Each structure stands twice: as C-alpha cells, then as structure tokens.
Amino acid sequence: MSFAVAVDGPAAAGKGTIAQAIAEHFDFQYLDTGLLYRAVGLAHLHGFKNLQKVAQKLDQQSLMHPMLRTPAVSKAASEVAKIAEVRAALVNFQREFIKRSKGAVLDGRDISTVICPNADVKLYVFANQKIRAKRRQMELKNRGISVDLKKVQNDLRMRDDVDMKRVEAPLQIASDSIRLDTSTLSVKAANQQAIEIVNQKLNTKSI
Ligand code: C5P
C-alpha cells in the first residue's frame, strides 16, 4: 500500500522545499508536478502546437531542461495549465507515480483536490505575497537571473490570479488540508512542522 502526501499552494510559498524535505526524511519519492506544466509551457514557447501530445509524451528527461525555471516558462506553464486536454494527459503520469511508490510526495496546485483526493496527508503551504516575491527573486538570482522585485511580485500576482480563477482544477484549499503559513518561518522550522504532521499520520497507519 502506498502512502501519499499532497502539498499544494501558490507559487514560491515553499512547497517544493517542504515536499523535498518530507521525501528525504521518510525516504519517499518526490514529484514536482509544476515541472510537468513547465515542460509543456516550454514546448509551447518553442512553437509546438499539439500540446496534448506533448503532455502525453513527457518523460523524466524532459523535466530536466535548464530553461524550465525561467520567468518566461513560469508564465507559459500557467497558460498551458488552463487547457483541459493538457491537464487530462498529465493525470496518469502523476497517478502512476503515486501507485508505483511505497511513499510519494507531490507538490502542485491540484494534488489534494484532483490528482489524489485520498492522499494520507494534505498540506496547503502559503505565505504573504511580498515574502514570496523576495524568495523567488533570491532563487532566480542564485540561478544567475536578475529581476526587479516589483516585476517578480507582479508576475506572482498574475500567476496566482490565473491559477486560482481558471475553470480546470483551480488552486483551492481542500476542506481536509492542513494549512502551513511559512511567512515568518525559517526553512528549517517549516520543514520540521511539515515532517511532524506527516509523522503523526504515519504513526496511525502502517505501510
Ligand atoms: O509549481 P510551479 O510554480 O513550478 O508551477 C508552474 C505552473 O504550473 C503553475 O503556475 C500552475 O499554473 C501550473 N501547475 C498546475 N498544477 C499543478 C502544478 C503546476 O496547474 N499541479
């Protein structure tokens, strides 16, 4: 039987860091589902027209492209993520990932609501927008990409808006999600809180 942890939330809230810390701590498999949409978004920027086909053919290799974390691809990912056929094509990839893992941690926008509504643990990770913008700016700087803070904040605001208001699988807080506000938490403290939540659940369920 597999144990699934769903980590959802807006961009740059700390989902990925927390999801990776959980995976590492419990020796679970980790999938950053944003990379799936980013890979389709990159194909779109490269002029591919049949994005459903691109989504169906994604493999681990396509999730390692160095351009995937750039601001242009973030925006493109959010645009292609509105397309029902693209989302449908990516459902299997994500569910199969969960099925073949003894323990799986997935982070994204619709993991708790669409991909794995029966997840053993559901976390909704968030932080205030200014803090998220500062974190994203720092992350981009560390990758050698320099962007003005106002622009980063504006991009985040627009992406939040698209992700929360789209018709297909919008970002929502599942009724049974545990909320984790990382605004004032250090990375270590946020990771510890998340690990403790998973630990409590694991203690009530043997895998
Ligand atoms: O998580 P990340 O910021 O890398 O995701 C990039 C974009 O992919 C998001 O803004 C969102 O539009 C889309 N996405 C999604 N569903 C997911 C993961 C990401 O719609 N599960």
Side-chain angles (χ1 to χ4, degrees):
M1 199 195 331
S2 96
F3 187 94
V5 181
V7 184
D8 289 300
K15 302 184 301 293
T17 306
I18 287 172
Q20 282 179 71
I22 294 170
E24 199 170 305
H25 185 88
F26 296 101
D27 198 18
F28 290 170
Q29 300 297 310
Y30 167 58
L31 179 64
D32 172 353
T33 67
L35 286 179
L36 304 173
Y37 295 90
R38 285 172 182 271
V40 178
L42 181 63
H44 173 59
L45 292 178
H46 284 163
F48 282 83
K49 294 278 175 274
N50 191 340
L51 297 178
Q52 183 182 16
K53 202 162 172 192
V54 170
Q56 282 163 347
K57 293 198 159 181
L58 283 187
D59 54 17
Q60 291 295 337
Q61 190 65 30
S62 38
L63 306 184
M64 289 160 69
H65 196 287
M67 293 297 288
L68 292 183
R69 298 280 179 200
T70 58
V73 174
S74 300
K75 190 162 182 282
S78 191
E79 288 304 314
V80 302
K82 290 189 217 162
I83 305 169
E85 291 77 12
V86 167
R87 302 202 74 87
L90 294 176
V91 168
N92 265 355
F93 187 106
Q94 297 169 82
R95 292 201 178 137
E96 283 304 314
F97 180 88
I98 298 171
K99 236 192 258 168
R100 60 168 190 269
S101 317
K102 190 167 75 87
V105 189
L106 285 78
D107 80 86
R109 304 291 186 289
D110 62 341
I111 312 303
S112 311
T113 51
V114 176
I115 301 301
C116 192
N118 296 322
D120 297 277
V121 177
K122 296 181 181 180
L123 292 175
Y124 186 85
V125 178
F126 63 105
N128 82 49
Q129 211 171 56
K130 196 155 192 185
I131 286 177
R132 289 194 282 130
K134 281 190 179 154
R135 287 181 188 158
R136 180 50 47 93
Q137 187 192 34
M138 185 58 74
E139 191 189 316
L140 289 169
K141 194 173 167 208
N142 290 339
R143 291 175 199 277
I145 305 171
S146 159
V147 193
D148 174 68
L149 184 62
K150 277 225 168 74
K151 162 131 181 60
V152 179
Q153 197 169 351
N154 207 32
D155 285 354
L156 279 185
R157 192 178 299 122
M158 281 183 343
R159 199 141 66 91
D160 285 353
D161 211 50
V162 171
D163 290 346
M164 289 173 179
K165 291 185 182 158
R166 69 181 175 221
V167 177
E168 298 296 327
L171 171 62
Q172 287 174 334
I173 310 176
S175 58
D176 50 350
S177 281
I178 298 169
R179 297 165 195 233
L180 188 52
D181 181 356
T182 67
S183 303
T184 58
L185 295 178
S186 66
V187 170
K188 195 174 169 197
N191 289 348
Q192 271 172 350
Q193 284 196 20
I195 286 169
E196 187 45 37
I197 292 166
V198 176
N199 208 19
Q200 281 179 13
K201 183 72 189 198
L202 267 171
N203 287 337
T204 64
K205 179 184 176 172
S206 52
I207 56 170

